[in-house]
Amino acid sequence: MIVFITGASAGFGAEMARTFVRNGHQVVMAARRMERLDALAAELGESALPVEMDVTSKKSIDEALAMLPQSWRQIDVLINNAGLALGTAPAHEAPLDDWETMIATNCQGLVTMTRALLPAMVERGSGLVINLGSVAGHYPYPGGNVYGATKAFVEQFTLNLRADLVGTGVRATNLAPGLCGGTEFSNVRFKGNDEAAAKVYEGTTPLTAKDIAETAYWIATLPPHINVNSIEMMPTCQGFSPFNIKRA
């Protein structure tokens, strides 16, 4: 099985690469930070192929796919993992640039990658697209605004893929985690403020990147007649938000 993972230089993506390679599969690891990919490739060996790519650039995607060796081009599983959250400010204060970056990465990049690889999967009659969503796409919270909206897009896009792919043999899953530690997610969201990022996980036992990777691997190795439409994961320390009531 050949697996293509975006955002593979850290966090979920890097752990997914490890999980698939260690279980005997080939992994195309795509990301912007080539030095991190090279280090991961050195760790994982010949079954891991590092590819420099920016999902926000169609040109970068096209060039990366065109440069794949012939023996690596039959992608069986696409994992659209690249994504980010920026800031927690309310909508009327959030920088528009942050919103545009999240939309470009979480939505535009995801659909561009999917459209690039999906036709060959349909032609072969097999394949799987795993899109990384979030519980933020299901439940609103203050400061979630555009990040939550992009993940709601991921959910609905994945379900609509399923509607289009019925009978083709190609599967699609939205994998939606909740609170997850041990990644750069909160450091990116708080723009390098490590103290603020650490407070998110203070006193909790969050999900880990390994938890997400093992779930993705389980989905990818199910019998081909099974489609997991959507899977939502939370640590036991996380629950659902109460309604926010403003009192006079």
Side-chain angles (χ1 to χ4, degrees):
M1 185 161 66
I2 300 177
V3 184
F4 193 112
I5 304 173
T6 67
S9 62
F12 297 170
E15 200 58 45
M16 287 175 184
R18 292 185 180 100
T19 299
F20 279 94
V21 168
R22 288 171 183 167
N23 283 281
H25 305 286
Q26 294 171 260
V27 176
V28 181
M29 307 182 302
R32 294 174 299 172
R33 296 178 292 186
M34 199 63 194
E35 70 286 351
R36 292 200 177 196
L37 292 179
D38 286 338
L40 190 55
E43 172 192 334
L44 297 178
E46 294 182 356
S47 293
L49 179 68
V51 174
E52 186 172 8
M53 191 185 77
D54 179 355
V55 297
T56 66
S57 164
K58 185 177 184 299
K59 181 173 181 287
S60 177
I61 290 173
D62 289 343
E63 289 175 351
L65 294 177
M67 290 172 61
L68 287 180
Q70 198 63 42
S71 61
W72 286 80
R73 293 192 175 191
Q74 185 173 307
I75 307 300
D76 299 295
V77 180
L78 167 63
I79 302 181
N80 282 312
N81 168 70
L84 77 168
L86 291 172
T88 56
H92 55 286
E93 297 175 2
L96 182 59
D97 286 351
D98 285 355
W99 285 6
E100 291 171 341
T101 299
M102 287 186 281
I103 292 167
T105 307
N106 302 356
C107 299
Q108 186 65 46
L110 182 144
V111 301
T112 304
M113 276 304 307
T114 302
R115 185 60 182 80
L117 297 182
L118 194 60
M121 291 182 177
V122 172
E123 187 176 343
R124 290 194 308 271
S126 67
L128 168 64
V129 178
I130 297 178
N131 292 325
L132 263 293
S134 169
V135 295
H138 302 159
Y139 314 109
Y141 60 89
N145 45 68
V146 167
Y147 174 66
T150 64
K151 293 305 185 177
F153 175 91
V154 171
E155 166 81 359
Q156 193 62 23
F157 176 65
T158 307
L159 294 176
N160 277 285
L161 280 179
R162 280 286 301 126
D164 288 341
L165 295 171
V166 170
T168 66
V170 181
R171 300 176 290 164
T173 297
N174 177 49
L175 173 52
L179 185 70
C180 190
T183 73
E184 298 177 337
F185 179 83
S186 288
N187 301 77
V188 171
R189 185 167 210 169
F190 291 104
K191 302 182 180 180
N193 186 334
D194 294 337
E195 186 180 350
K199 283 183 179 177
V200 174
Y201 309 103
E202 203 170 78
T204 73
T205 304
L207 300 175
T208 67
K210 187 175 181 181
D211 297 331
I212 309 308
E214 289 179 348
T215 304
Y217 184 77
W218 172 75
I219 293 166
T221 53
L222 286 170
H225 69 284
I226 300 173
N227 191 95
V228 177
N229 298 329
S230 182
I231 188 163
E232 182 182 289
M233 304 170 63
M234 281 184 177
T236 55
C237 64
Q238 185 178 25
F240 303 102
S241 298
F243 285 114
N244 187 10
I245 299 172
K246 176 68 174 176
R247 302 186 188 278

